[in-house]
């Protein structure tokens, strides 16, 4: 009886041992084959490496090219001591080739030489200047075109448009060291304001952080909200027990973040320089050829025009003056007007409803800026006029939670419309992008252009007007809302929308010329922006 037992035990030990060694043997063979075949696999499938960087899309290549073009304009300077930076009070301005008589039509040139705080001549350029030529008596003004010699000296070119006295004002808006610091600050993070998203499900609410990009944190899932056609994306931390689809509202908030050093924060003091007024006369009585009516597709020079008697005169075309309710009614009769952008276009629909009252709001019972985040619609049933205002979509700097589900990117709003001869689009953006890296703005602008190209293929007689952003308050927070960020975005719009059949309303140039220091321009500046817009539209 003992022999079968011993035999069975030995058999069990043998099988266990064979299983153990078979596993080790298989592992050895597997390692050997992998080592031998690895070079062959790598040669045949080189793209399978996890570390390989995915190729850039066509959109990303275009965005990078425009960004590089703008970045070349930014001074690459640094400083150790505050006294080494540009001091506007020490600046000197003089007239290039002064004359006893200046004539209308001349190019009047002023030289600006910049010095530091201890009186040393600057040896590099990049200072952000804001020049104006103006006459308070004639209510006339024009901006200047700055030529930077990269050695601390500048020429500012003013076309002389009117006869009479003219005063020169050169404002050092930011020194070159401040420009370089702001550029670095803008691209040091994903933005100086933050966002919160509110999730709602079955009466329950949860709030989480949102941003263009989020870092992975332990125990937190990330919801991605991506529009694959336009490659636009933002993210939110997923609220526990909520689905990503239950994100309902959004708000922006000030992070009180700064990427400037304490020394750099001292740079943003504005110092104007002036010279004695000059007198301009009408030397030449030759009649100029009449200018054509402003039409979409025209290029906009710099300066793009001038104010005289508080009326904007484009340099390259004739603008129709819209002042009365009848003027706008005749323009918009039988048309659909889509205003897409920020509050500077909301100002348009407020003028139509609360100002000249040519349309009435539909299902909106407030006045002024109440309910800023709401989509607005207004109509005139008798004259068959329809006006709508919609936001341009994320990001929006708005401190209260607002329903954002209806916020579509401008490009998608364009793609959803058929267009046609009775359809007008007025589009703007900029103020809500100043807080983020410039590539965010460039990509949005390129996507809008592509959507317009598709629109013109299916409806070539649609009228489209691009309005640049306005200058804003002089002492707005420089990292969040400063005008240098607005200026780089203005350059982007001029680059992106050249050569396409749109009306280009250079509101930046108009607000610089009129010295407007308000994001929502008052009185005659706003009236002229409206007139130029609807000259293109009608």
């Amino acid at each position: 009886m003992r022999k079968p037992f011993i035999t069975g035990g030995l058999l069990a030990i043998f099988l266990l041992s064979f299983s153990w060694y078979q596993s080790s043997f298989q592992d050895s063979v597997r390692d050997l084959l992998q080592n031998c075949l690895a070079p062959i696999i790598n040669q045949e499938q080189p793209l399978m490496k996890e570390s390989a960087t995915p190729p850039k899309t066509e959109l990303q290549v275009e965005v990078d090219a425009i960004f590089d073009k703008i970045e070349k304009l930014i001074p690459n300077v640094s400083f150790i001591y505050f006294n080494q930076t540009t001091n506007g009070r020490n600046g000197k301005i003089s007239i290039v080739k002064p004359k006893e008589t200046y004539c209308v039509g001349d190019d009047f040139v002023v030289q600006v030489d910049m010095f530091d705080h201890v009186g040393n001549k600057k040896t590099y350029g990049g200072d952000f200047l804001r020049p104006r030529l103006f006459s308070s008596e004639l209510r006339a003004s024009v901006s200047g075109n700055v030529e930077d010699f990269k050695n601390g000296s500048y020429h500012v070119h003013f076309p002389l448009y009117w006869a009479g006295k003219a005063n020169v004002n050169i404002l050092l808006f930011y020194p070159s060291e401040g420009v370089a610091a702001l550029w670095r600050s803008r691209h040091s993070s994903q933005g100086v304001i933050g966002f919160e998203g509110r999730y709602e499900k079955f009466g329950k609410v949860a709030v989480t952080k949102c941003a263009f990009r989020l870092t992975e944190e332990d125990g937190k899932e990330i919801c991605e909200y991506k529009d694959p056609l336009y490659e636009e994306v933002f993210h939110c931390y997923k609220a526990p027990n909520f689905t990503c689809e239950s994100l309902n509202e959004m708000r922006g908030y000030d992070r009180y973040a700064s990427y400037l050093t304490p020394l750099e924060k001292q740079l943003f003091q504005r110092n104007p320089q002036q010279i004695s007024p000059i007198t301009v006369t009408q030397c030449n009585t030759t009649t100029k050829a009449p200018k054509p009516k402003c039409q979409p597709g025209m290029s906009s020079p710099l300066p793009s025009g001038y104010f005289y008697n508080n009326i904007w005169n484009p340099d390259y075309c004739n603008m129709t003056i819209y002042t009365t309710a009848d003027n706008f009614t005749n323009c918009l009769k039988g048309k659909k007007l889509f205003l897409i952008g920020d509050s500077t276009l909301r100002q348009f629909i407020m003028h139509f409803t609360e100002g000249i009252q040519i349309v009435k709001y539909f299902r909106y019972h407030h006045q002024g800026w109440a309910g800023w985040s709401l989509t607005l619609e207004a109509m005139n049933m008798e004259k068959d006029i329809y006006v709508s205002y919609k936001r341009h979509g994320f990001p929006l700097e708005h401190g209260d939670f607002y329903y954002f589900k209806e916020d579509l990117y401008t490009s998608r709003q364009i793609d959803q419309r058929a267009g046609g001869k009775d359809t007008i689009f007025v589009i703007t953006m900029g103020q809500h992008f100043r807080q983020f890296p410039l590539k965010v703005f460039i990509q949005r602008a390129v996507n809008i252009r592509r959507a317009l190209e598709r629109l013109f293929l299916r409806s070539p007689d649609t009228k489209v007007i691009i309005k640049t952003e306005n200058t804003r308050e002089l002492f707005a927070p420089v990292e969040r809302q400063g005008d240098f960020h607005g200026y780089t975005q203005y350059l982007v719009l001029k680059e992106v929308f050249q050569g396409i059949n749109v009306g280009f309303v250079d509101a930046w140039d108009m607000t610089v010329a009129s010295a407007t220091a308000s994001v929502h321009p008052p009185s005659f500046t706003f009236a002229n922006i409206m007139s130029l817009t609807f000259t293109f539209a009608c």
Side-chain angles (χ1 to χ4, degrees):
M1 296 295 295
R2 294 178 60 190
K3 188 173 181 179
F5 175 79
I6 293 172
T7 302
L10 291 172
L11 180 60
I13 293 172
F14 172 77
L15 291 173
L16 287 171
S17 300
F18 178 77
S19 174
W20 172 268
Y21 285 108
Q22 182 189 39
S23 177
S24 299
F25 176 74
Q26 288 175 334
D27 289 343
S28 300
V29 171
R30 187 183 300 110
D31 291 341
L32 177 63
L33 290 173
Q34 286 178 344
N35 290 332
C36 293
L37 295 177
I40 300 174
I41 294 172
N42 289 339
Q43 288 175 8
E44 292 180 349
Q45 298 179 351
L47 299 179
M48 295 300 291
K49 293 181 179 179
E50 292 183 2
S51 60
T53 303
K56 290 184 178 181
T57 65
E58 183 182 339
L59 174 61
Q60 291 168 338
V61 170
E62 185 173 358
V63 168
D64 288 349
I66 297 172
F67 179 85
D68 292 344
K69 191 171 184 178
I70 301 297
E71 189 172 38
K72 289 178 181 177
L73 304 175
I74 309 302
N76 183 18
V77 298
S78 59
F79 66 100
I80 299 175
Y81 304 106
F82 180 75
N83 283 343
Q84 297 173 320
T85 65
T86 306
N87 182 356
R89 290 191 180 92
N90 289 341
K92 297 178 181 178
I93 62 176
S94 57
I95 298 173
V96 177
K97 298 180 180 179
K99 300 189 297 185
E100 291 185 6
T101 303
Y102 297 94
C103 300
V104 172
D106 286 352
D107 182 29
F108 178 62
V109 184
V110 172
Q111 177 156 329
V112 181
D113 296 300
M114 287 300 185
F115 297 80
D116 64 19
H117 287 261
V118 294
N120 296 318
K121 174 75 162 53
K122 296 300 294 291
T123 58
Y124 50 85
D127 297 303
F128 183 39
L129 307 178
R130 182 167 290 176
R132 293 177 67 235
L133 189 73
F134 68 97
S135 169
S136 300
E137 296 81 6
L138 300 173
R139 295 182 292 179
S141 59
V142 65
S143 68
N145 196 5
V146 179
E147 181 183 4
D148 187 349
F149 292 108
K150 310 296 184 183
N151 61 0
S153 294
Y154 307 82
H155 277 180
V156 181
H157 298 261
F158 295 103
L160 298 180
Y161 284 116
W162 64 84
K165 285 191 176 182
N167 297 272
V168 174
N169 182 288
I170 310 289
L171 177 66
L172 174 64
F173 210 84
Y174 300 141
S176 53
E177 296 82 8
V179 169
L182 285 174
W183 183 260
R184 191 205 71 246
S185 165
R186 184 171 188 177
H187 299 95
S188 296
S189 72
Q190 287 301 302
V192 293
I193 66 170
F195 292 93
E196 288 182 330
R198 181 152 66 186
Y199 290 79
E200 296 186 17
K201 187 177 74 171
F202 300 135
K204 295 182 178 180
V205 174
V207 175
T208 70
K209 179 181 176 182
C210 301
F212 283 105
R213 287 207 298 266
L214 291 172
T215 57
E216 293 187 4
E217 295 183 8
D218 291 341
K220 290 186 178 180
E221 296 181 55
I222 295 177
C223 292
E224 181 181 76
Y225 301 95
K226 185 174 184 178
D227 192 321
L229 176 60
Y230 311 109
E231 301 176 36
E232 300 280 6
V233 63
F234 70 93
H235 302 85
C236 295
Y237 287 121
K238 182 176 177 293
N241 303 317
F242 287 80
T243 63
C244 291
E245 292 76 16
S246 58
L247 178 64
N248 194 42
E249 293 187 323
M250 185 79 71
R251 81 174 188 98
Y253 63 91
D254 193 342
R255 292 175 49 223
Y256 299 102
S258 175
Y259 297 91
L260 299 174
T261 68
L263 197 58
E264 288 170 340
K265 291 179 181 179
Q266 302 177 33
L267 294 173
F268 305 103
Q269 305 295 322
R270 295 169 185 83
N271 305 115
Q273 291 283 333
Q274 298 187 19
I275 56 176
S276 299
I278 64 169
T279 300
V280 184
T281 59
Q282 187 72 57
C283 309
N284 194 340
T285 57
T286 303
T287 304
K288 289 186 177 181
K291 293 182 291 187
K293 178 182 178 293
C294 299
Q295 296 283 351
M298 290 180 167
S299 60
S300 178
L302 187 67
S304 61
Y306 65 100
F307 284 102
Y308 187 82
N309 198 25
N310 283 349
I311 299 297
W312 182 250
N313 296 266
D315 178 74
Y316 55 98
C317 61
N318 276 327
M319 180 184 82
T320 303
I321 300 172
Y322 286 83
T323 54
T324 68
D326 287 343
N327 294 151
F328 284 101
T329 299
N330 292 335
C331 171
L332 296 175
K333 184 177 179 180
K335 293 184 173 66
K336 294 176 291 186
L337 171 63
F338 298 99
L339 306 168
I340 308 173
D342 55 35
S343 61
T344 65
L345 283 191
R346 193 185 195 275
Q347 200 175 1
F348 281 37
I349 195 170
M350 288 166 58
H351 180 67
F352 290 146
T353 54
E354 302 172 34
I356 57 177
Q357 299 181 2
I358 62 171
V359 288
K360 292 183 179 180
Y361 282 127
F362 175 69
R363 300 184 67 184
Y364 176 75
H365 307 289
H366 305 284
Q367 294 287 316
W369 294 102
W372 176 88
S373 62
L374 298 175
T375 294
L376 300 179
E377 293 180 293
M379 287 169 276
N380 181 328
M381 301 295 287
E382 181 184 351
K383 301 295 183 180
D384 193 21
I385 300 173
Y386 172 82
V387 182
S388 79
Y389 162 75
K390 285 181 69 71
R391 305 178 297 274
H392 55 54
F394 188 84
L396 290 168
E397 181 185 4
H398 190 58
D400 298 327
F401 278 107
Y402 65 93
Y403 182 70
F404 90 107
K405 286 287 190 179
E406 63 185 16
D407 279 359
L408 303 177
Y409 295 119
T410 302
S411 45
R412 187 162 290 281
Q413 293 188 50
I414 296 167
D415 281 336
Q416 289 183 342
R417 301 293 176 187
K421 63 182 179 62
D422 295 327
T423 300
I424 304 168
F425 288 95
V426 182
I427 299 165
T428 195
M429 64 174 190
Q431 299 291 342
H432 294 260
F433 290 80
R434 293 186 179 193
Q435 303 89 336
F436 305 99
L438 186 61
K439 285 187 180 181
V440 173
F441 181 82
I442 297 173
Q443 179 168 324
R444 195 66 56 87
V446 172
N447 274 330
I448 291 172
R449 177 185 171 114
R450 292 182 173 189
L452 292 177
E453 289 171 343
R454 293 189 291 270
L455 171 67
F456 290 142
L457 284 175
R458 64 182 182 268
S459 301
D461 48 0
T462 308
K463 293 294 181 65
V464 178
I465 296 91
I466 303 294
K467 186 193 84 66
T468 70
E469 61 190 282
N470 310 325
T471 56
R472 63 180 307 149
E473 295 74 17
L474 286 177
F475 296 100
V478 292
E479 288 177 271
R480 226 175 99 181
Q481 300 169 336
D483 268 352
F484 175 70
H485 294 330
Y487 177 67
T488 58
Q489 294 175 173
Y490 165 69
L491 296 179
V492 169
L493 290 186
K494 287 182 73 73
E495 175 73 19
V496 170
F497 290 101
Q498 62 180 335
I500 187 171
N501 193 36
V502 300
F504 193 81
V505 175
D506 197 336
W508 182 271
D509 190 32
M510 296 169 77
T511 50
V512 168
S514 61
T516 300
S518 173
V519 67
H520 303 118
S523 62
F524 74 93
T525 306
F526 174 67
N528 282 281
I529 290 173
M530 291 282 282
S531 287
L532 184 55
T533 298
F534 290 98
T535 300
F536 284 123
C538 301

